[in-house]
Amino acid sequence: MVPLKRRKTLPSDAGNTVSDSSRHKVPNKFSQVVLFLLERKMGASRRFFLSQLGRNKGFQVEDVFSESVTHVISENNCGTEVRTWLESQGRGQSLRVHLLDVSWYTESMRAGHPVEITHRHKLQEQQISEAEVALFSVSSYACQRRTTLDNHNSNLTILTGVFGVGAKTADRWIREGIYNLEQLRDSGQTLNRAQKAGLEHYDDLNEPVTKAEADAIGEIVQKAVNSVLTGSQVALTGGFRRGKLTGHDVDFLITHPEEGKEVGLMPKVVAWLESQGFLLYQKTTRNSYLESKDGPARPASNMDRFERCFSIFKLTKGKEQESTQPEEQNDLKTKDVLRPHMQADTDQQLCELSKNYQMEAASHKIWRAVRVDLVVSPISQFAFAVLGWTGSKLFERELRRWAGHEKNMSLSSHALFDNTQNKYLRATSEEEIFAYLGLEYIPPSERNA
């Protein structure tokens, strides 16, 4: 068996220098405070973002837990759980550190200095069972664990709730003093096309998408695909395939049973959707995946290389809503709303009345914006694409890690390559892929790691 590789760790002082060489090193302003963010239940990407935010504010945030740490920051863990973790690191009894909820950290970031620690910031002790304690020693591979939807992980949205804005851009804006949408609109920042659409449709895009809405979009996509290439297949993936009732977007995989028939399909589908008025925004990328007899090259990023359309759909609300709100009634006139109040004698009153009108008009809107990703896959790669696009992200990452460390294989959303036999392993179903990896098959509903 190939031994596990140790995760590379940075020295404690390396965390104060960001990877981008264009950024300067921010001096530590608070020498008596040394912070460590616990990744458990917080997630690696969120921990990285919050750590960088703290360092940019002048805090010393350690990547590795050590004796110098004075404050341990946790999210969705009780004090007992964190102490159990400390004990598992051999540090439980000897250290006297503050065990704090992430709320203390975010409040300190806003204040620009460590805020006073109050009772509500302190992690509370709770009784946990032996089974819960055992969670700290289970296999590190999420693809060996069954994880249902009933878990307590949560995500943080700051400015990253704007479509087209990632952690790096949000971090830059925060360092420039932009913390909310109003400040972003007034800042004069140059936004790309995706970010402009994201800001314009922010409320809709941050409203959960229901399974019924996902199914309605699925019917539209299926109609579009059938209109340009009969016999094509459309599969709903992502969280909805894992059993979620709501999500932040909708993902569809498209293929055709005859290899090669899918070439040129995406532009035709997008053109049909645009002609029918379904797209508020779209950006298409081409398929850049190529197989090599020597095995897959290391990808430039974690994203696959399928032909893809990132889009914002204009989804008409249900017929039962339309019947009670006909379009002629929805087309409200400002004068009709303001007429009873024409005696208002101050600009502030008129401004408030105008805001009320806008809110009333928005409440009568018969459509909403929804994020939709369309992905086209050749039938030979479809099983791998379905597995990769079903998620969760952590489950997929751990599945690839298992393949590499335990089986000496390379897994992606395109293919599975056996490095020992120096050949690709073909599969027509997810069950075959799990079998190649020597894993018990886990259904989509239990991949919510």
Side-chain angles (χ1 to χ4, degrees):
M1 186 175 73
V2 180
L4 292 177
K5 296 181 180 179
R6 291 182 176 272
R7 178 184 292 182
K8 293 182 179 180
T9 57
L10 297 172
S12 59
D13 62 344
N16 289 322
T17 305
V18 295
S19 57
D20 189 340
S21 60
S22 65
R23 301 180 188 176
H24 62 279
K25 183 175 180 180
V26 179
N28 176 23
K29 298 179 181 178
F30 316 106
S31 59
Q32 301 303 313
V33 177
V34 181
L35 308 176
F36 173 79
L37 275 63
L38 186 62
E39 184 174 324
R40 183 178 186 271
K41 294 188 178 181
M42 180 180 291
S45 59
R46 174 159 155 75
R47 178 178 184 259
F48 174 81
F49 174 74
L50 290 177
S51 297
Q52 288 296 91
L53 178 61
R55 290 165 186 150
N56 291 330
K57 293 283 187 177
F59 289 80
Q60 181 175 343
V61 185
E62 298 291 343
D63 287 318
V64 180
F65 187 83
S66 68
E67 296 282 351
S68 64
V69 171
T70 60
H71 297 60
V72 173
I73 311 301
S74 171
E75 185 168 41
N76 295 328
N77 295 289
C78 68
T80 308
E81 290 175 310
V82 175
R83 291 191 187 282
T84 301
W85 182 85
L86 289 171
E87 290 172 2
S88 73
Q89 307 299 305
R91 311 274 186 168
Q93 302 298 327
S94 60
L95 292 178
R96 293 185 177 181
V97 297
H98 295 289
L99 305 184
L100 303 176
D101 181 76
V102 71
S103 60
W104 177 88
Y105 188 86
T106 55
E107 289 173 23
S108 297
M109 296 304 103
R110 285 195 294 267
H113 60 81
V115 299
E116 180 184 357
I117 297 174
T118 64
H119 178 74
R120 65 185 178 84
H121 294 133
K122 298 177 181 179
L123 297 184
Q124 304 303 306
E125 302 297 325
Q126 295 180 8
Q127 290 293 326
I128 59 176
S129 66
E130 292 183 3
E132 290 174 305
V133 173
L135 287 175
F136 293 95
S137 58
V138 298
S139 170
S140 61
Y141 290 104
C143 57
Q144 288 184 302
R145 303 195 300 268
R146 296 174 181 267
T147 315
T148 64
L149 287 172
D150 184 21
N151 59 70
H152 305 288
N153 291 326
S154 61
N155 297 318
L156 171 69
T157 302
I158 309 175
L159 289 169
T160 52
V162 178
F163 177 72
V165 176
K168 184 177 292 186
T169 300
D171 175 52
R172 174 169 58 82
W173 285 346
I174 288 173
R175 287 188 288 109
E176 293 175 7
I178 302 171
Y179 296 95
N180 54 50
L181 298 184
E182 185 177 355
Q183 291 175 341
L184 177 60
R185 291 189 181 100
D186 297 339
S187 67
Q189 288 282 335
T190 301
L191 304 180
N192 60 34
R193 201 163 58 89
Q195 292 163 354
K196 289 178 181 177
L199 195 57
E200 180 182 355
H201 303 292
Y202 180 86
D203 291 336
D204 274 0
L205 298 182
N206 282 276
E207 178 184 340
V209 185
T210 66
K211 179 60 164 59
E213 289 172 325
D215 290 338
I217 295 172
E219 292 179 8
I220 296 171
V221 173
Q222 186 71 66
K223 184 176 181 180
V225 172
N226 289 341
S227 69
V228 297
L229 182 61
T230 58
S232 299
Q233 301 172 7
V234 177
L236 175 64
T237 58
F240 289 112
R241 186 168 185 256
R242 301 198 308 272
K244 296 183 70 173
L245 298 179
T246 61
H248 68 280
D249 65 358
V250 192
D251 303 320
F252 294 99
L253 275 176
I254 306 170
T255 192
H256 191 278
E258 185 178 340
E259 187 84 5
K261 280 278 191 177
E262 78 288 343
V263 176
L265 176 59
M266 181 69 84
K268 297 176 183 177
V269 171
V270 171
W272 187 93
L273 291 170
E274 287 188 317
S275 71
Q276 300 297 312
F278 286 115
L279 296 184
L280 297 167
Y281 166 88
Q282 65 86 10
K283 178 182 179 182
T284 304
T285 61
R286 301 179 63 182
N287 190 330
S288 61
Y289 176 77
L290 293 174
E291 281 193 0
S292 167
K293 64 179 181 179
D294 298 324
R298 186 176 182 86
S301 71
N302 291 329
M303 296 185 68
D304 57 54
R305 287 167 280 174
F306 288 115
E307 186 174 22
R308 180 181 311 168
C309 177
F310 299 99
S311 72
I312 299 178
F313 258 58
K314 182 179 182 180
L315 178 65
T316 302
K317 296 180 181 179
K319 291 183 178 179
E320 68 283 357
Q321 292 174 295
E322 290 184 57
S323 63
T324 58
Q325 298 174 358
E327 187 171 353
E328 59 270 17
Q329 292 180 12
N330 296 331
D331 187 18
L332 300 175
K333 304 298 183 182
T334 305
K335 62 181 181 180
D336 294 332
V337 178
L338 297 182
R339 185 179 292 118
H341 308 282
M342 291 301 289
Q343 300 303 314
D345 56 0
T346 68
D347 290 341
Q348 182 177 0
Q349 286 175 301
L350 289 173
C351 181
E352 288 301 319
L353 290 171
S354 178
K355 287 181 180 178
N356 291 338
Y357 158 70
Q358 293 172 10
M359 292 174 63
E360 185 173 352
S363 69
H364 287 75
K365 191 174 69 172
I366 64 171
W367 60 269
R368 64 162 298 194
V370 180
R371 281 187 53 188
V372 178
D373 288 345
L374 305 177
V375 181
V376 171
S377 163
I379 191 64
S380 60
Q381 301 172 30
F382 192 64
F384 300 98
V386 169
L387 177 59
W389 274 83
T390 294
S392 65
K393 288 183 180 179
L394 176 58
F395 186 91
E396 298 300 326
R397 185 183 70 187
E398 293 294 88
L399 203 59
R400 293 191 295 269
R401 191 164 72 96
W402 168 274
H405 290 172
E406 303 294 338
K407 308 303 275 187
N408 196 23
M409 296 178 179
S410 299
L411 174 67
S412 72
S413 295
H414 296 275
L416 179 63
F417 186 82
D418 189 321
N419 296 298
T420 302
Q421 301 182 58
N422 198 37
K423 70 174 185 179
Y424 286 93
L425 304 177
R426 308 301 177 183
T428 59
S429 69
E430 292 180 309
E431 287 85 349
E432 287 183 70
I433 301 172
F434 275 82
Y436 280 137
L437 295 174
L439 292 170
E440 177 188 0
Y441 175 72
I442 295 180
S445 61
E446 296 179 352
R447 300 179 200 167
N448 292 284

